[in-house]
Amino acid sequence: MKTMRLGCSTLEVPVIGLGCMRLTGLSRQEAHQYLNTCLDLGVNFFDHADIYGGGQCEELFAQALPMHADAREKIILQSKCGIVPGVMFDQSKEHILASVDGILKRLNTEYLDVLLLHRPDALVEPEEVAAAFDQLQATGKVRHFGVSNQRPARIALLQKYVRQPLLANQMQLSIPVSNMIAAGLEANMTSDGAIDRDGDVLDYCQLHNITIQAWSPYQQKEWKGTFIDNPEYAALNQAMAEIGEEYGLGKTGVATAWLLRHPAGIQVLPGTMNADRMKDIVRAAEVTLTRPEWYRLYLAAGHILP
């Protein structure tokens, strides 16, 4: 598996990780088999959140992949905190520390490789985040830190107080859902794609050596499901099928290769629980799309060029 450094750290991670939100859709035995298949493929980066399955995804992960010393050293665990579902966002020091303790207990591990703040908290006090991160690092509970779904100004605000570099920003990104790319391409235009909804986050993260982690990389807009084999994206699926024939990839693999082709150095976090689909995704790590192929897919998804 091709690897990359996460942000400005020395932590080597695979360019493909596994988002574990859907893990509870598997039995314990199925999860055991699937997680070991991922490891065999070189996918040893596992992304969690304390709200996934109300914590059950983390519990099942630890049951399916026991965290004895040898196994723990071979995997990279990332989790997220800061959401109280249906109630509020909470990035207070007290909540962050309590959340990490819960995550570690459920995952049956002594430390997280990476902790992300899951969503922006309107009432965040950056000094409290900094204090929490310092304590987590000093006690060895968390080794690296980052954010998720956050704009450049919020990242800069946090980084003013947080001593540790924020290594990653986990954002929704796929061929159709790529406004952060479209806004840059359609600069100085009055088109819909020119609307900057993310504050030039892609350029910002590239400038500051922050890894974009792409979540829901095969989803269409407005949570209507995948665009793979979706008749509403007929042109895109035809383009993916034709390009896939050139590289021995399925459509999911081609969609993955499209993300990996971007020079920002994107880490892709599919949430698939299907072994065959994951094998296709992993094969994409060895493929470099040409510039014409990349733009063909971009246009086939309905984007424009000025």
Side-chain angles (χ1 to χ4, degrees):
M1 165 67 72
K2 183 179 178 182
T3 63
M4 60 186 288
R5 288 190 176 183
L6 191 69
C8 62
S9 74
T10 59
L11 179 62
E12 287 286 330
V13 299
V15 297
I16 306 295
L18 176 67
C20 294
M21 186 175 69
R22 296 185 177 90
L23 193 62
T24 51
L26 305 179
S27 68
R28 180 174 175 176
Q29 181 59 32
E30 289 170 337
H32 173 77
Q33 293 175 345
Y34 181 61
L35 292 174
N36 277 284
T37 295
C38 288
L39 289 173
D40 290 341
L41 293 170
V43 179
N44 69 335
F45 186 101
F46 300 100
D47 174 66
H48 292 271
D50 58 358
I51 64 168
Y52 290 171
Q56 292 181 14
C57 292
E58 291 171 331
E59 291 176 350
L60 178 58
F61 182 91
Q63 295 167 4
L65 201 64
M67 290 294 101
H68 56 78
D70 289 343
R72 182 64 185 92
E73 290 179 0
K74 296 176 182 176
I75 67 173
I76 302 169
L77 287 177
Q78 173 175 283
S79 195
K80 302 182 287 293
C81 72
I83 298 177
V84 183
V87 179
M88 62 182 176
F89 298 144
D90 190 345
Q91 291 172 11
S92 64
K93 177 183 176 181
E94 179 182 6
H95 183 81
I96 293 171
L97 295 177
S99 296
V100 170
D101 284 343
I103 290 167
L104 296 178
K105 182 178 180 179
R106 289 189 294 273
L107 286 173
N108 191 27
T109 184
E110 294 181 352
Y111 69 94
L112 285 176
D113 295 282
V114 188
L115 174 71
L116 305 184
L117 299 179
H118 206 162
R119 288 271 180 184
D121 174 11
L123 302 181
V124 66
E125 297 181 49
E127 298 93 336
E128 286 202 23
V129 174
F133 284 7
D134 282 347
Q135 184 170 328
L136 291 169
Q137 186 178 61
T139 55
K141 292 181 179 181
V142 179
R143 296 184 174 179
H144 303 283
F145 301 88
V147 297
S148 181
N149 305 298
Q150 303 213 16
R151 294 182 177 183
R154 175 55 61 91
I155 297 172
L157 175 63
L158 291 171
Q159 196 68 84
K160 177 181 177 181
Y161 297 89
V162 171
R163 294 187 306 107
Q164 301 81 4
L166 299 174
L167 301 180
N169 187 13
Q170 193 173 127
M171 302 283 285
Q172 185 178 10
L173 182 60
S174 68
I175 307 178
V177 185
S178 52
N179 177 262
M180 65 180 72
I181 295 174
L185 286 176
E186 297 178 45
N188 199 34
M189 298 287 291
T190 59
S191 52
D192 289 342
I195 300 172
D196 181 7
R197 295 178 171 86
D198 303 302
D200 288 325
V201 68
L202 191 61
D203 289 342
Y204 178 89
C205 287
Q206 197 169 354
L207 277 168
H208 293 273
N209 204 9
I210 299 170
T211 297
I212 292 285
Q213 296 178 332
W215 61 267
S216 288
Y218 316 114
Q219 289 290 315
Q220 56 176 304
K221 297 177 180 179
E222 299 175 357
W223 294 97
K224 293 181 179 179
T226 180
F227 58 85
I228 307 292
D229 292 326
N230 188 319
E232 293 186 16
Y233 290 87
L236 176 57
N237 276 276
Q238 180 178 347
M240 290 191 297
E242 292 174 0
I243 292 171
E245 289 181 5
E246 296 294 322
Y247 296 103
L249 293 176
K251 295 174 183 176
T252 308
V254 173
T256 305
W258 185 87
L259 291 167
L260 294 175
R261 177 63 176 82
H262 196 279
I266 294 165
Q267 185 186 30
V268 183
L269 300 180
T272 182
M273 295 292 129
N274 181 289
D276 289 336
R277 190 170 296 120
M278 180 57 82
K279 291 174 183 177
D280 185 42
I281 292 168
V282 167
R283 286 195 296 270
E286 305 304 321
V287 170
T288 301
L289 296 180
T290 66
R291 189 180 298 264
E293 288 167 342
W294 190 92
Y295 273 102
R296 179 187 177 190
L297 293 167
Y298 180 78
L299 293 171
H303 301 293
I304 65 168
L305 295 180

